[in-house]
Structure formats: structure tokens, C-alpha cells
Amino acid sequence: SAVISQKPSRDICQRGTSLTIQCQVDSQVTMMFWYRQQPGQSLTLIATANQGSEATYESGFVIDKFPISRPNLTFSTLTVSNMSPEDSSIYLCSVPTVAGELFFGEGSRLTVL
Amino acid sequence: GENVEQHPSTLSVQEGDSAVIKCTYSDSASNYFPWYKQELGKGPQLIIDIRSNVGEKKDQRIAVTLNKTAKHFSLHITETQPEDSAVYFCAAARQGGSEKLVFGKGTKLTVNP
């Protein structure tokens, strides 16, 4: 399994500001995924971060709100822009193994006041 | 698209009893079914998975069964221990991989000592 590190682990932000979450993996991976987990809820895929190309967003998520960077095969960032209290969630980075299993980081817990 | 239903939403058992969590899915093309355990303040941890060419898989106290005809799969935990207390998520995906996993809403399992 991959070792996935996310920063920050938690943060409290003001409405209208933006926060960038970092995800570092200890091995090279082709795809990285960003998920959102709203309080007490399940996991929803935001987008797939592809190295060397634009991220692919799921229905209901747009690049202007959640811009993603993928500068190399071990690193990605997700920015939550112009935040509102509804953006308070856990944001999770995940990577697949060659066997097709999906592993998650510990998440970044975001509270927007 | 795929829809995954998970039941029950909460489950309380006595230590040593068995726990069963059930999931149904809608997309007959789905062929990869992982289960995740999420402890408070942590990211989801893959505990077991099954692919559609297998009907049952066991790993110590944990087992998963799959009925492709009925499109349902279940997680069985035997001899439960207090450290099994967590939220468990089932998921489903096509093509035997982790791409676009669709998650159930989760089951909060409490094991009472």
C-alpha cells in the first residue's frame, strides 16, 4: 500500500477565503483522486487529478471552485475557493494500487466560519 | 449511474457477537466491491475487497460475500471486539478497478464490552 500524507490535517477558515490542501504519495502513481466527505456523510468523488493534463471533474464540481494541480507523479493539490460554511468537510486524497485497490490519506478537516 | 444502498445505518452488538452489514448495487457491470473502516478522525482504511469472479472471501474474523444475481454483497465480522467499533463503508466500481468508486452511506458499528 502507498503512504499518503495530507496537509493541513485540519484548519478553520473564514468565509470567502481559499485554502489549498496538499497530498504527497511515497511512490509514483498515474492517477490521484480527491474526495469530499461532508459531516456524517459518505464519500463523494470531486475529481481525478492526472499528471500532465487537466483534472477531470465529477458532476456538481467545477474547476473554478476546486482547482487542482498535479505537477508530478507523487504530488497534487486541491484548492477550495471562496469558501462558505457549506464547504466544511473532510477532503481526502486517494491513490490506486496496480491491483486496483484504493487507499486514502488521513484527510484534511476543514471548518468554515 | 451506479447507486449503492447500505443497511443498517447503525448497528450495536455485544462483544463476541457477529455483525453483518449489507449493501445492494444497481449497475450490473460493477465487478469490484471493497469495504472500508473509518475510525473517528481518520481516513477510510481498506479492510477487504471482493471481485465478481469470487463468491466469498475471508480474512481472519472478516468475510465478504457477493451475490451477483441479486446484486448484493455483505460484510461479516465474527467475534467482534470493541476496537471493531467504527463506521464501515461499502463501495462498488466497474472494470475491477478503483476508478469511480461509488460508496454506500455507511454503517456506524458499536461493539459494547
Side-chain angles (χ1 to χ4, degrees), chain B residues 3-49:
Chain B
N3 182 50
V4 177
E5 300 282 341
Q6 183 172 346
H7 298 281
S9 56
T10 61
L11 179 60
S12 181
V13 300
Q14 289 299 122
E15 183 176 0
D17 288 351
S18 294
V20 180
I21 303 171
K22 299 181 179 182
C23 289
T24 60
Y25 61 98
S26 60
D27 186 353
S28 56
S30 289
N31 56 7
Y32 175 63
F33 307 93
W35 286 88
Y36 288 86
K37 174 184 181 183
Q38 187 175 29
E39 296 175 319
L40 195 62
K42 296 191 174 183
Q45 176 192 4
L46 178 65
I47 57 172
I48 196 168
D49 57 12

Side-chain angles (χ1 to χ4, degrees), chain A residues 65-76:
Chain A
K65 177 67 176 178
F66 298 102
I68 288 171
S69 78
R70 182 78 199 276
N72 57 52
L73 291 174
T74 63
F75 186 79
S76 178

